[in-house]
Coordinates of all heavy atoms in Angstrom, one line a residue:
S1 N -18.3 -39.8 -62.2 CA -17.9 -41.1 -61.4 C -18.0 -40.9 -59.9 O -18.5 -41.6 -59.2 CB -16.5 -41.5 -61.9 OG -16.1 -42.6 -61.1
E2 N -17.4 -39.7 -59.4 CA -17.4 -39.5 -58.0 C -18.9 -39.3 -57.5 O -19.2 -39.7 -56.4 CB -16.7 -38.2 -57.7 CG -15.1 -38.5 -57.8 CD -14.3 -37.2 -57.4 OE1 -14.7 -36.4 -56.7 OE2 -13.2 -37.1 -58.1
L3 N -19.8 -38.6 -58.2 CA -21.1 -38.5 -57.9 C -21.8 -39.8 -57.9 O -22.7 -40.0 -57.0 CB -21.8 -37.4 -58.8 CG -21.4 -36.0 -58.6 CD1 -21.8 -35.1 -59.7 CD2 -21.9 -35.4 -57.2
D4 N -21.5 -40.6 -58.8 CA -22.2 -41.9 -58.9 C -21.9 -42.8 -57.6 O -22.7 -43.5 -57.1 CB -21.8 -42.7 -60.2 CG -22.5 -44.0 -60.4 OD1 -23.6 -44.2 -59.8 OD2 -21.9 -44.8 -61.0
T5 N -20.5 -42.8 -57.2 CA -20.2 -43.6 -56.1 C -20.6 -43.0 -54.8 O -20.6 -43.5 -53.8 CB -18.6 -43.8 -56.0 OG1 -18.0 -42.5 -56.1 CG2 -18.2 -44.7 -57.3
G6 N -20.9 -41.7 -54.8 CA -21.4 -40.9 -53.7 C -22.8 -40.9 -53.5 O -23.3 -40.2 -52.6
D7 N -23.6 -41.6 -54.2 CA -25.1 -41.6 -54.1 C -25.7 -40.3 -54.5 O -26.8 -40.0 -53.9 CB -25.5 -42.2 -52.7 CG -26.9 -42.6 -52.7 OD1 -27.5 -43.1 -53.7 OD2 -27.5 -42.4 -51.6
Y8 N -25.2 -39.5 -55.4 CA -25.8 -38.4 -55.8 C -26.4 -38.4 -57.3 O -27.3 -37.8 -57.7 CB -24.8 -37.2 -55.8 CG -24.4 -36.8 -54.4 CD1 -23.2 -37.3 -53.9 CD2 -25.2 -36.0 -53.5 CE1 -22.8 -37.0 -52.6 CE2 -24.9 -35.7 -52.3 CZ -23.6 -36.2 -51.8 OH -23.2 -36.0 -50.5
V9 N -25.9 -39.4 -57.9 CA -26.2 -39.8 -59.3 C -26.3 -41.3 -59.3 O -25.5 -42.0 -58.7 CB -25.1 -39.2 -60.3 CG1 -25.4 -39.8 -61.7 CG2 -25.1 -37.7 -60.3
E10 N -27.3 -41.8 -60.2 CA -27.3 -43.3 -60.3 C -27.4 -43.7 -61.8 O -27.9 -42.9 -62.6 CB -28.6 -43.8 -59.6 CG -30.0 -43.3 -60.1 CD -31.1 -43.8 -59.4 OE1 -31.0 -44.6 -58.5 OE2 -32.2 -43.4 -59.7
K11 N -26.9 -44.8 -62.0 CA -27.0 -45.4 -63.4 C -28.4 -46.1 -63.4 O -28.7 -46.8 -62.4 CB -25.9 -46.4 -63.7 CG -24.6 -45.8 -63.9 CD -23.6 -46.8 -64.2 CE -22.2 -46.2 -64.4 NZ -21.2 -47.2 -64.6
T12 N -29.1 -46.0 -64.5 CA -30.4 -46.6 -64.6 C -30.6 -47.0 -66.1 O -29.9 -46.5 -66.9 CB -31.6 -45.7 -64.1 OG1 -32.7 -46.3 -64.1 CG2 -31.6 -44.4 -64.9
F13 N -31.6 -47.7 -66.3 CA -31.9 -48.1 -67.8 C -33.2 -47.3 -68.0 O -34.2 -47.4 -67.3 CB -32.1 -49.6 -67.9 CG -30.8 -50.4 -68.1 CD1 -30.1 -50.8 -67.0 CD2 -30.3 -50.4 -69.4 CE1 -28.9 -51.4 -67.1 CE2 -29.0 -51.1 -69.5 CZ -28.3 -51.5 -68.4
Y14 N -33.1 -46.6 -69.2 CA -34.2 -45.8 -69.6 C -34.4 -46.1 -71.2 O -33.4 -45.8 -71.9 CB -34.1 -44.3 -69.3 CG -35.1 -43.4 -69.8 CD1 -36.4 -43.5 -69.2 CD2 -34.9 -42.5 -70.8 CE1 -37.4 -42.6 -69.5 CE2 -36.0 -41.6 -71.2 CZ -37.2 -41.8 -70.5 OH -38.1 -40.8 -71.0
R15 N -35.5 -46.6 -71.6 CA -35.7 -46.9 -73.0 C -34.6 -47.8 -73.5 O -34.0 -47.6 -74.6 CB -35.8 -45.6 -73.8 CG -37.0 -44.8 -73.5 CD -37.1 -43.7 -74.3 NE -38.3 -42.9 -74.0 CZ -38.6 -41.7 -74.5 NH1 -37.9 -41.1 -75.4 NH2 -39.7 -41.1 -74.0
N16 N -34.3 -48.9 -72.7 CA -33.3 -49.9 -73.1 C -31.9 -49.4 -73.2 O -31.0 -50.0 -73.8 CB -33.7 -50.6 -74.3 CG -35.0 -51.4 -74.1 OD1 -35.2 -52.0 -72.9 ND2 -35.9 -51.5 -75.1
E17 N -31.6 -48.3 -72.5 CA -30.2 -47.7 -72.6 C -29.8 -47.4 -71.3 O -30.5 -46.9 -70.5 CB -30.1 -46.4 -73.6 CG -30.4 -46.8 -75.0 CD -30.1 -45.6 -76.0 OE1 -29.0 -45.2 -75.9 OE2 -31.1 -45.2 -76.6
E18 N -28.5 -47.6 -71.0 CA -27.9 -47.1 -69.7 C -27.8 -45.6 -69.7 O -27.4 -45.0 -70.5 CB -26.6 -47.7 -69.5 CG -26.0 -47.5 -68.1 CD -24.7 -48.2 -67.8 OE1 -23.6 -47.6 -68.3 OE2 -24.8 -49.3 -67.2
C19 N -28.4 -45.0 -68.6 CA -28.5 -43.6 -68.4 C -28.0 -43.2 -67.0 O -27.9 -44.1 -66.2 CB -29.9 -43.2 -68.7 SG -30.5 -43.5 -70.3
Y20 N -28.0 -41.9 -66.9 CA -27.7 -41.3 -65.6 C -28.9 -40.5 -65.1 O -29.5 -39.8 -65.9 CB -26.4 -40.5 -65.5 CG -25.2 -41.2 -65.7 CD1 -24.7 -41.4 -67.0 CD2 -24.6 -41.8 -64.6 CE1 -23.5 -42.2 -67.2 CE2 -23.4 -42.6 -64.8 CZ -22.9 -42.7 -66.1 OH -21.7 -43.5 -66.3
A21 N -29.2 -40.6 -63.8 CA -30.3 -39.8 -63.2 C -29.9 -39.2 -62.0 O -29.0 -39.8 -61.2 CB -31.5 -40.7 -63.2
L22 N -30.4 -38.2 -61.5 CA -30.2 -37.5 -60.3 C -30.9 -38.3 -59.2 O -32.0 -38.7 -59.4 CB -30.8 -36.2 -60.4 CG -30.4 -35.1 -59.4 CD1 -28.9 -34.8 -59.4 CD2 -31.2 -33.7 -59.7
T23 N -30.2 -38.5 -58.1 CA -30.9 -39.2 -57.0 C -31.5 -38.2 -56.1 O -31.3 -36.9 -56.3 CB -29.9 -40.0 -56.1 OG1 -28.9 -39.1 -55.5 CG2 -29.2 -41.1 -57.0
E24 N -32.3 -38.6 -55.1 CA -32.8 -37.6 -54.1 C -31.7 -36.9 -53.4 O -31.8 -35.7 -53.2 CB -33.7 -38.4 -53.0 CG -34.4 -37.5 -52.1 CD -35.4 -38.3 -51.2 OE1 -35.9 -39.3 -51.7 OE2 -35.5 -37.9 -50.1
N25 N -30.7 -37.6 -53.0 CA -29.4 -36.9 -52.4 C -28.9 -35.9 -53.3 O -28.5 -34.8 -52.9 CB -28.4 -37.9 -51.9 CG -28.8 -38.7 -50.8 OD1 -29.7 -38.3 -50.1 ND2 -28.1 -39.8 -50.5
G26 N -28.7 -36.2 -54.6 CA -28.2 -35.2 -55.5 C -29.1 -34.0 -55.7 O -28.7 -32.8 -55.8
A27 N -30.4 -34.1 -55.7 CA -31.4 -33.1 -55.8 C -31.3 -32.2 -54.5 O -31.3 -30.9 -54.7 CB -32.8 -33.6 -56.0
K28 N -31.1 -32.8 -53.4 CA -31.0 -32.0 -52.1 C -29.7 -31.2 -52.1 O -29.7 -30.0 -51.7 CB -31.1 -32.9 -50.9 CG -32.4 -33.5 -50.6 CD -32.4 -34.5 -49.4 CE -33.7 -35.1 -49.2 NZ -33.7 -36.1 -48.0
A29 N -28.6 -31.8 -52.5 CA -27.3 -31.1 -52.6 C -27.4 -29.9 -53.5 O -27.0 -28.9 -53.2 CB -26.2 -32.1 -53.0
L30 N -28.1 -30.2 -54.7 CA -28.2 -29.1 -55.6 C -29.0 -28.0 -55.1 O -28.7 -26.8 -55.3 CB -28.8 -29.6 -56.9 CG -28.8 -28.7 -58.0 CD1 -27.4 -28.2 -58.5 CD2 -29.4 -29.4 -59.3
E31 N -30.1 -28.3 -54.4 CA -30.9 -27.3 -53.8 C -30.2 -26.5 -52.7 O -30.4 -25.2 -52.8 CB -32.2 -28.0 -53.2 CG -33.2 -27.0 -52.6 CD -34.4 -27.8 -52.1 OE1 -34.9 -28.8 -52.7 OE2 -34.8 -27.4 -51.0
L32 N -29.4 -27.1 -52.0 CA -28.7 -26.4 -50.8 C -27.6 -25.5 -51.4 O -27.3 -24.5 -50.8 CB -28.3 -27.5 -49.8 CG -29.3 -28.2 -49.0 CD1 -28.7 -29.3 -48.2 CD2 -30.0 -27.2 -48.1
F33 N -26.7 -26.2 -52.2 CA -25.5 -25.5 -52.6 C -25.4 -25.1 -54.1 O -24.4 -24.6 -54.5 CB -24.3 -26.4 -52.3 CG -24.3 -26.8 -50.9 CD1 -24.6 -28.1 -50.5 CD2 -23.9 -25.9 -49.9 CE1 -24.7 -28.4 -49.1 CE2 -23.9 -26.2 -48.5 CZ -24.3 -27.5 -48.1
G34 N -26.4 -25.4 -54.9 CA -26.3 -25.2 -56.4 C -26.1 -23.8 -56.8 O -25.6 -23.6 -57.9
E35 N -26.4 -22.8 -56.0 CA -26.3 -21.4 -56.5 C -24.9 -21.0 -56.4 O -24.6 -19.8 -56.8 CB -27.3 -20.5 -55.6 CG -28.7 -20.9 -55.9 CD -29.2 -20.6 -57.3 OE1 -28.7 -19.5 -57.9 OE2 -29.9 -21.4 -57.8
K36 N -23.9 -21.8 -55.9 CA -22.6 -21.4 -55.7 C -21.8 -21.3 -57.0 O -20.8 -20.6 -57.1 CB -21.9 -22.4 -54.8 CG -22.5 -22.6 -53.5 CD -22.1 -21.4 -52.6 CE -22.7 -21.6 -51.2 NZ -22.6 -20.6 -50.4
F37 N -22.3 -21.9 -58.1 CA -21.5 -21.8 -59.4 C -22.1 -20.8 -60.3 O -23.3 -20.4 -60.2 CB -21.3 -23.1 -60.1 CG -22.6 -23.8 -60.5 CD1 -23.0 -23.6 -61.9 CD2 -23.4 -24.7 -59.8 CE1 -24.1 -24.2 -62.4 CE2 -24.4 -25.2 -60.3 CZ -24.8 -25.0 -61.6
P38 N -21.3 -20.2 -61.2 CA -21.7 -19.0 -62.0 C -23.0 -19.1 -62.8 O -23.2 -20.2 -63.4 CB -20.5 -18.7 -62.9 CG -19.4 -19.5 -62.2 CD -20.0 -20.7 -61.5
K39 N -23.8 -18.1 -62.7 CA -25.1 -18.0 -63.6 C -24.7 -18.2 -65.0 O -25.5 -18.8 -65.8 CB -25.8 -16.8 -63.3 CG -26.3 -16.7 -61.9 CD -27.6 -17.6 -61.7 CE -28.2 -17.3 -60.4 NZ -29.1 -18.3 -60.1
S40 N -23.6 -17.7 -65.4 CA -23.2 -17.7 -66.9 C -23.1 -19.2 -67.3 O -23.5 -19.5 -68.4 CB -21.9 -17.0 -67.2 OG -20.9 -17.6 -66.3

């Protein structure tokens, strides 16, 4: 929910179902900081 309101994730329709997708901002954030959480 926080990522959706923060423009990192968006709700979209895919194959007639409501889905979630990564936005460009979400992809950039993940690229910059995504290695911070455990590899496990």
Side-chain angles (χ1 to χ4, degrees):
S1 176
E2 288 181 29
L3 289 166
D4 185 26
T5 59
D7 195 34
Y8 295 98
V9 170
E10 66 182 352
K11 287 182 187 175
T12 187
F13 280 90
Y14 180 70
R15 297 184 180 172
N16 296 324
E17 295 189 58
E18 187 175 84
C19 298
Y20 290 95
L22 197 60
T23 65
E24 187 175 325
N25 286 342
K28 286 179 185 176
L30 187 58
E31 183 178 317
L32 292 172
F33 302 106
E35 295 299 317
K36 301 282 184 188
F37 66 94
K39 292 284 186 195
S40 60

